């Protein structure tokens, strides 16, 4: 009888351990599935320009949303190569803009497989004059994208990021009007212009930012698609657009 009870106890313990192990494995699989499902990447259509917006905590709404609106609306224009627009950051957690908007990044450039980026947009952020410039991973990312991108654009103090990455060493640029002197002191070898709302030099377009981020984005669209398309994009967003009315500088090379 004792032997029977001992055998029953062993079988019971084995059965419990097996169930616990099975449940543990099942829970692990469910956790992995939940974690996988949480990350949803945007669908990028083929035969489009891939346009990445580099965002981080403290990014300013206007410098982000103004060019985002312009570029996203290219999908509604016929007979052009439109744009896929998406955000990239160094985290999967929501980014909080300077004004308090919460944005979930589409891609984490530290760990995700990124699509080829044709156009990189660097909106201004609260700490682009100080701590953001100490983010070595971010600066390396910008340099890496620059190696293959067709255009790199900045708005307001986003130009400081481009300068820190060495992208503007041989280019004329501009930035937020009241930060031009600061940028000249920080990067004394750069050619930084005042009294213009944007500068186009080669693959780099830098703008004064703010509401003038619309103009810089419309200019790139006019450069890529022609005047008629740019005017239609502007009209769809109720923006008065005439390139000749916008103080700007184009460096011919």
């Amino acid at each position: 009888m004792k032997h029977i009870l001992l055998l029953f106890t062993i079988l019971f313990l084995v059965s419990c351990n097996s169930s616990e192990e099975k449940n543990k494995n099942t829970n692990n699989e469910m956790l992995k599935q939940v974690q996988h499902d949480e990350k949803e990447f945007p669908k990028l259509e083929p035969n489009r320009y891939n346009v990445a917006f580099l965002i981080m905590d403290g990014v300013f709404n206007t410098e982000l949303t103004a060019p985002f609106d312009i570029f996203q609306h290219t999908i509604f224009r016929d007979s052009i190569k439109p744009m896929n627009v998406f955000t990239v950051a160094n985290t999967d957690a929501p980014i909080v803009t300077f004004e308090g908007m919460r944005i979930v990044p589409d891609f984490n450039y530290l760990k995700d497989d990124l699509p080829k980026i044709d156009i990189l947009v660097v909106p201004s952020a609260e700490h682009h004059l100080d701590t953001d410039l100490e983010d070595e991973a971010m600066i390396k990312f910008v340099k890496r994208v620059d190696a293959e991108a067709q255009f790199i654009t900045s708005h307001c103090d986003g130009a400081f990021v481009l300068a820190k990455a060495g992208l503007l060493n041989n280019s004329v640029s501009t930035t937020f009007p009241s930060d031009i002197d600061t940028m000249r002191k920080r990067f004394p070898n750069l050619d930084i212009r005042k009294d213009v709302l944007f500068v186009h030099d080669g693959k780099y377009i830098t703008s004064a930012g703010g509401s003038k981020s619309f103009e810089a984005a419309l200019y790139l669209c006019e450069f890529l698609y022609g005047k008629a398309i740019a005017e239609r994009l502007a009209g769809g967003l109720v923006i008065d657009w005439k390139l000749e009315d916008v103080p700007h500088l184009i460096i011919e090379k």
Side-chain angles (χ1 to χ4, degrees):
M1 185 66 178
K2 291 182 178 178
H3 293 296
I4 294 175
L5 289 173
L6 179 61
L7 178 61
F8 178 78
T9 302
I10 293 172
L11 290 173
F12 177 77
L13 291 173
V14 170
S15 176
C16 286
N17 288 338
S18 297
S19 294
E20 289 177 2
E21 187 66 28
K22 184 177 180 180
N23 288 336
K24 182 179 179 181
N25 291 336
T26 300
N27 289 338
N28 286 339
E29 288 301 317
M30 290 177 64
L31 180 60
K32 289 180 181 178
Q33 184 63 38
V34 168
Q35 291 174 337
H36 174 75
D37 290 343
E38 286 177 351
K39 185 72 174 184
E40 183 176 350
F41 296 104
K43 182 180 179 182
L44 303 181
E45 298 293 342
N47 302 316
R48 291 184 179 182
Y49 294 105
N50 285 333
V51 184
F53 286 74
L54 177 60
I55 61 174
M56 60 203 68
D57 282 336
V59 65
F60 291 102
N61 285 359
T62 304
E63 281 85 12
L64 168 61
T65 59
F68 198 101
D69 281 354
I70 297 294
F71 295 157
Q72 193 275 338
H73 278 71
T74 60
I75 66 174
F76 303 114
R77 301 293 159 232
D78 297 328
S79 304
I80 66 170
K81 180 180 179 179
M83 300 179 180
N84 293 314
V85 292
F86 51 89
T87 56
V88 295
N90 64 357
T91 180
D92 291 316
I95 292 294
V96 181
T97 72
F98 181 79
E99 292 83 2
M101 184 185 296
R102 294 169 64 84
I103 302 171
V104 178
D106 292 314
F107 292 94
N108 182 334
Y109 63 76
L110 295 181
K111 67 181 185 67
D112 291 335
D113 291 329
L114 299 179
K116 181 181 180 298
I117 296 172
D118 301 303
I119 300 170
L120 177 66
V121 182
V122 184
S124 183
E126 181 181 8
H127 294 291
H128 271 177
L129 274 66
D130 43 74
T131 53
D132 286 340
L133 300 183
E134 299 170 7
D135 186 342
E136 294 183 3
M138 186 263 287
I139 297 300
K140 287 180 180 178
F141 167 72
V142 172
K143 289 180 178 179
R144 187 168 70 249
V145 172
D146 178 61
E148 293 187 341
Q150 296 181 41
F151 294 98
I152 306 287
T153 75
S154 70
H155 300 277
C156 190
D157 292 332
F160 281 74
V161 174
L162 272 56
K164 181 67 175 181
L167 274 54
L168 302 178
N169 288 348
N170 299 305
S171 299
V172 179
S173 61
T174 194
T175 188
F176 187 64
S178 64
D179 290 331
I180 288 177
D181 290 339
T182 300
M183 189 171 173
R184 285 174 171 173
K185 291 177 182 178
R186 185 77 61 86
F187 306 100
N189 295 323
L190 297 187
D191 186 350
I192 304 162
R193 302 296 179 89
K194 288 186 175 182
D195 302 321
V196 291
L197 295 179
F198 68 83
V199 176
H200 179 194
D201 189 345
K203 67 190 292 184
Y204 306 109
I205 300 174
T206 53
S207 89
S211 64
K212 302 310 175 184
S213 302
F214 282 107
E215 276 84 348
L218 283 166
Y219 165 74
L220 179 55
C221 288
E222 181 162 325
F223 183 82
L224 291 174
Y225 306 125
K227 183 176 181 179
I229 292 295
E231 288 178 346
R232 289 173 63 191
L233 288 168
L237 292 167
V238 197
I239 299 172
D240 293 328
W241 170 248
K242 288 185 179 180
L243 178 58
E244 57 271 23
D245 292 341
V246 181
H248 67 281
L249 178 63
I250 301 173
I251 305 299
E252 302 289 347
K253 292 184 176 180

